[in-house]
Amino acid sequence: YSYPLELERILNSDSKIKFEVNNCGQGGYNSAVIMVRLLLQVLDTNPNMIILYQGYTDVRSYLSKNFKSDYSHSRYNLSELYSKFKFSVSIPKMPFSFLNFLIHRWFPYNLRESLVELIHKEDIDFRADPKEGLKTFERNLQYIIDICIARKVKLVMSTYCHFLYKDIKDNLLSKKYDEILTMENEIIKSLSKKNNVYFVDNANLISKNEEYFVDSIHFSHKGMRVLASNFAKKIKSIYES
């Protein structure tokens, strides 16, 4: 279940236009990777419209030491870790849970759970100034906008929705992320206005309520329906006009 599937269902209900929604999102992608994938893959599908809903994944790089605008300071290339991957997948699953736990701690054994953590070089530094990172985020989004305008692809930008639920509202890391995501959302809002591209303010349209989330950033089914509905309203208004 995903919001793109729900978006396609909503758009095609009571519509004379046949909409096809493709999910090109991938967990762990930051704005730099999205920019590259847009150029090398997404544009080859000849989209009429692109929705850009992203923000959270860049933040860790802002809070890593010796910031570089290509994020090489904070992320490994997977080829650098090939030997670890090769070794980890050769380890059989043990019949005892505590052994599997130790293997998971020592090696990248459960790749689905540990891949994003594995590719990061640096621990988060709370003292790091996110200013340079936010400049890079703005640059990357501007490049994405420029590409879409040049290719005459409609672009819908959206603020990123982050929920400080009860158990994490006093957590220092969660509060730091929330602070930076607020700054990212201001950049998104400003760029959409500056470049006259379509905009949906999901950070304010979606209620910060536990029924809409499964954690601080991932939506429940109900949350996905609201997110999809917000995008659908904007898309229908574009095509109706």
Side-chain angles (χ1 to χ4, degrees):
Y1 191 87
S2 67
Y3 93 78
L5 285 172
E6 183 66 13
L7 175 59
E8 183 174 274
R9 186 193 67 77
I10 295 172
L11 288 173
N12 285 317
S13 62
D14 191 29
S15 173
K16 296 178 181 179
I17 303 172
K18 176 64 176 177
F19 289 94
E20 177 185 300
V21 179
N22 295 306
N23 186 358
C24 298
Q26 176 65 50
Y29 277 12
N30 58 30
S31 61
V33 180
I34 290 172
M35 179 174 59
V36 173
R37 192 178 185 193
L38 172 66
L39 283 166
L40 299 183
Q41 294 179 324
V42 177
L43 288 177
D44 285 345
T45 68
N46 296 317
N48 302 104
M49 178 181 289
I50 288 173
I51 292 173
L52 182 60
Y53 180 76
Q54 190 273 343
Y56 187 86
T57 320
D58 288 69
V59 177
R60 181 162 179 165
S61 293
Y62 307 162
L63 299 177
S64 298
K65 295 176 181 177
N66 304 314
F67 182 84
K68 293 181 181 178
S69 62
D70 62 356
Y71 295 166
S72 61
H73 70 292
S74 68
R75 286 192 168 201
Y76 288 107
N77 186 300
L78 287 180
S79 63
E80 298 177 70
L81 304 170
Y82 176 74
S83 59
K84 289 185 178 181
F85 285 124
K86 187 175 181 180
F87 179 71
S88 69
V89 297
S90 67
I91 303 174
K93 187 170 184 179
M94 302 298 178
F96 303 106
S97 295
F98 77 94
L99 289 176
N100 289 320
F101 171 77
L102 292 176
I103 291 170
H104 175 60
R105 294 286 294 180
W106 291 336
F107 306 107
Y109 184 63
N110 188 335
L111 299 183
R112 179 169 177 79
E113 292 186 7
S114 65
L115 181 59
V116 172
E117 185 66 28
L118 181 70
I119 64 175
H120 281 284
K121 295 179 180 179
E122 301 281 346
D123 292 330
I124 292 175
D125 181 6
F126 282 96
R127 296 168 298 178
D129 187 347
K131 182 179 178 181
E132 291 303 312
L134 289 165
K135 284 182 181 178
T136 296
F137 177 75
E138 183 171 5
R139 178 205 68 181
N140 293 346
L141 294 195
Q142 184 61 62
Y143 285 164
I144 290 171
I145 292 168
D146 292 343
I147 293 163
C148 289
I149 291 174
R151 291 294 298 266
K152 295 182 171 55
V153 177
K154 296 179 182 67
L155 177 64
V156 178
M157 299 182 70
S158 170
T159 48
Y160 193 82
C161 199
H162 183 241
F163 174 42
L164 287 177
Y165 57 91
K166 182 180 178 181
D167 292 343
I168 66 167
K169 67 182 181 66
D170 296 321
N171 178 273
L172 290 178
L173 180 60
S174 298
K175 290 168 72 174
K176 187 70 173 179
Y177 263 72
D178 191 63
E179 174 189 329
I180 295 174
L181 287 170
T182 300
M183 290 187 277
E184 281 190 344
N185 283 340
E186 287 302 313
I187 290 171
I188 293 167
K189 191 181 300 184
S190 174
L191 285 176
S192 64
K193 185 176 182 180
K194 172 186 172 183
N195 293 277
N196 196 29
V197 299
Y198 302 109
F199 173 71
V200 179
D201 194 6
N202 278 301
N204 289 308
L205 288 173
I206 300 174
S207 175
K208 305 300 191 299
N209 190 301
E210 290 191 9
E211 64 179 318
Y212 296 110
F213 295 84
V214 295
D215 55 26
S216 63
I217 58 172
H218 296 103
F219 294 106
S220 65
H221 285 198
K222 190 170 184 178
M224 287 184 191
R225 285 196 295 270
V226 176
L227 180 67
S229 178
N230 291 341
F231 282 129
K233 289 175 184 175
K234 174 60 68 174
I235 293 169
K236 283 190 173 183
S237 70
I238 292 169
Y239 279 93
E240 287 171 358
S241 62

